[in-house]
Amino acid sequence: MTTITKLESKVKELSKLLEALKELNAAIDLQDIFQGILNQMVMIAEAKEATLWVLEKEKNRIVAKASCGVSAESLPLPTLTVGEGIIGNVINTGKTDVVENAEQGMGEYKAMLTVPLKAKGQTLGAIQLVNKKDRSAFDDRDVKLAVTLAEQSGLALHNSQMYDELYKMFLSMIRMLAEALDARDPLTKGHSERVARYAWLIGKRMKLDPQVCFELYQAAILHDIGKIGIEDRILRKTTGLTDSEYELMKKHTEIGARILSAIKPNRFFQKSIDTALLHHERMDGSGYPNKLKGEEIPLFARIVGVADAFDAMTTVRTYSEGMSVQEAAAELIRCKGSLFDSEIVDTFIEILDDCSYDLQAFPTEDAV
Ligand SMILES: [Fe+2]
């Protein structure tokens, strides 16, 4: 190879690498990132297939998260136990493994290049390339490229795992807060969680973006958080509220909005703030606190309004026996358009139809 061709090939490699990195930065979703990494790697190393493996320590397994080439057709992607095979070994040792191009008989060749995905001194996974298109072995150039790209990928994986952990922690804190609130009154136990689940199911059925559904879940679980500021003598009263007590109870909407406004940065909570404030607004303007009408009420507040009313009707409270699911559904339908958003009620009724009005059979998949 002349110096110029070497140089040309180097420039080509680098520009491909740059492209791969750009793709890394552009992709937000981790699955897209993985797929982008593999696509670029297969292209650069001219491999036939590649698989990206992620170590899931707490589950004691290594899971294939993305694949490219032949194995991409053999879905679902496989799972290994920790330490199993070449992948397990590369993850354990943190060292690259190259298997020469060995003839497997019947003219079949198998060459493998396995590089660890590392970040902050820990191995988080591995990328394995299998077979070069020209049937040659993986050479030093391939190893160098794979290692460079794996370094960047390891960092992206690390960041996303950190983000995931933070998000889970954040969500469990929100849940804890809602549970603490519900625990103050034994009769409302689980109310926030159920309302959040109903709201989330409605959002999903309305085909809202998954990210928007998470925000909706978050807003719904916090909708009554302002009740923290309502005195026990009102919150836990077993008989009906007097007019002045009811006025005080209504304040939970404003208190909730105020509490959530204190969380920074604000923009992550704007919809939760609006939902806490406006989930008792009604389509005909008869709600509170701002007497908003129709679409003046934000979508999340309209959805939570339906979910909240349904849960209140179907659970036993001190002042009511609790309706059957069918009775509550009939009540939602009766108040369609006047109190509740028609489209949202219709969507919720569809969900109830799907589980044959059996709340136990309600889809239990987790929102997050
Ligand atoms: Fe409320």
Side-chain angles (χ1 to χ4, degrees):
M1 209 188 264
T2 66
T3 316
I4 291 187
T5 21
K6 267 190 197 161
L7 205 64
E8 271 175 0
S9 132
K10 195 84 206 152
V11 168
K12 224 167 100 189
E13 278 169 24
L14 281 174
S15 68
K16 278 179 182 170
L17 192 61
L18 207 66
E19 236 170 77
L21 294 181
K22 251 198 278 173
E23 195 161 323
L24 269 186
N25 292 334
I28 302 161
D29 186 70
L30 193 59
Q31 199 59 42
D32 290 351
I33 295 179
F34 288 159
Q35 206 57 56
I37 291 166
L38 287 187
N39 294 347
Q40 295 294 339
M41 240 181 191
V42 161
M43 200 174 76
I44 294 170
E46 291 171 340
K48 276 193 170 164
E49 51 186 289
T51 313
L52 188 144
W53 302 80
V54 174
L55 171 66
E56 293 183 352
K57 251 192 207 154
E58 67 288 358
K59 288 184 182 153
N60 203 33
R61 62 183 191 182
I62 306 165
V63 183
K65 289 286 183 182
S67 71
C68 180
V70 185
S71 54
E73 288 153 20
S74 57
L75 293 165
L77 294 170
T79 299
L80 301 171
T81 51
V82 169
E84 191 181 340
I86 295 177
I87 309 280
N89 195 43
V90 166
I91 292 177
N92 271 351
T93 59
K95 292 203 174 92
T96 299
D97 182 282
V98 186
V99 172
E100 288 283 326
N101 198 3
E103 193 171 351
Q104 306 264 295
M106 305 285 286
E108 283 280 313
Y109 289 86
K110 188 138 186 168
M112 280 186 288
L113 166 57
T114 315
V115 285
L117 289 176
K118 286 198 229 175
K120 315 255 174 209
Q122 290 205 325
T123 309
L124 308 172
I127 291 178
Q128 186 169 61
L129 300 176
V130 179
N131 288 345
K132 299 261 291 184
K133 280 185 183 142
D134 63 3
R135 294 185 165 194
S136 64
F138 288 105
D139 57 21
D140 282 354
R141 189 198 75 131
D142 297 324
V143 173
K144 262 188 214 151
L145 276 170
V147 168
T148 310
L149 206 45
E151 270 168 20
Q152 297 299 323
S153 318
L155 220 54
L157 178 59
H158 172 74
N159 286 346
S160 118
Q161 286 181 340
M162 288 273 288
Y163 177 83
D164 245 33
E165 267 174 29
L166 275 178
Y167 187 73
K168 274 188 192 141
M169 195 171 82
F170 160 76
L171 206 73
S172 62
M173 287 179 78
I174 286 181
R175 280 195 170 131
M176 197 181 71
L177 208 63
E179 260 172 49
L181 165 72
D182 292 349
R184 269 185 68 201
D185 180 357
L187 289 167
T188 56
K189 191 172 182 293
H191 171 69
S192 306
E193 190 76 48
R194 284 192 303 273
V195 169
R197 190 176 296 284
Y198 300 155
W200 183 72
L201 286 168
I202 293 171
K204 228 173 84 161
R205 187 130 189 156
M206 289 174 87
K207 300 207 164 37
L208 301 182
D209 189 83
Q211 183 57 38
V212 176
C213 288
F214 290 155
E215 279 179 70
L216 173 59
Y217 182 88
Q218 172 193 305
I221 206 159
L222 291 168
H223 76 282
D224 264 348
I225 205 69
K227 285 191 177 168
I228 279 177
I230 304 295
E231 294 167 65
D232 268 355
R233 68 171 179 94
I234 297 173
L235 195 69
R236 305 182 65 163
K237 200 170 174 195
T238 48
T239 51
L241 298 175
T242 65
D243 285 350
S244 65
E245 285 168 342
Y246 186 52
E247 285 309 310
L248 285 172
M249 183 65 136
K250 281 174 166 179
K251 292 272 177 238
H252 79 276
T253 51
E254 284 148 290
I255 298 171
R258 214 161 49 233
I259 292 174
L260 296 177
S261 302
I263 307 176
K264 301 284 183 266
N266 239 222
R267 67 196 147 90
F268 287 125
F269 277 88
Q270 197 49 56
K271 284 184 173 160
S272 297
I273 297 169
D274 295 344
T275 308
L277 183 66
L278 304 170
H279 69 278
H280 286 286
E281 298 288 353
R282 296 295 174 246
M283 296 301 277
D284 57 6
S286 64
Y288 62 88
N290 296 341
K291 297 197 179 351
L292 299 183
K293 274 188 187 165
E295 302 214 339
E296 286 172 0
I297 310 164
L299 177 66
F300 279 19
R302 277 180 277 146
I303 293 177
V304 172
V306 170
D308 186 23
F310 177 79
D311 190 63
M313 286 190 279
T314 50
T315 46
V316 181
R317 303 240 169 151
T318 29
Y319 40 86
S320 75
E321 268 301 299
M323 293 180 189
S324 71
V325 175
Q326 283 85 349
E327 285 167 336
E331 190 57 20
L332 288 180
I333 293 169
R334 195 179 68 79
C335 302
K336 230 168 79 167
S338 57
L339 302 186
F340 306 117
D341 182 306
S342 302
E343 193 196 334
I344 295 169
V345 170
D346 289 343
T347 306
F348 193 53
I349 300 296
E350 274 173 39
I351 297 169
L352 289 171
D353 275 338
D354 275 3
C355 69
S356 309
Y357 290 73
D358 176 7
L359 281 181
Q360 303 305 318
F362 231 93
T364 50
E365 63 180 301
D366 221 1
V368 283

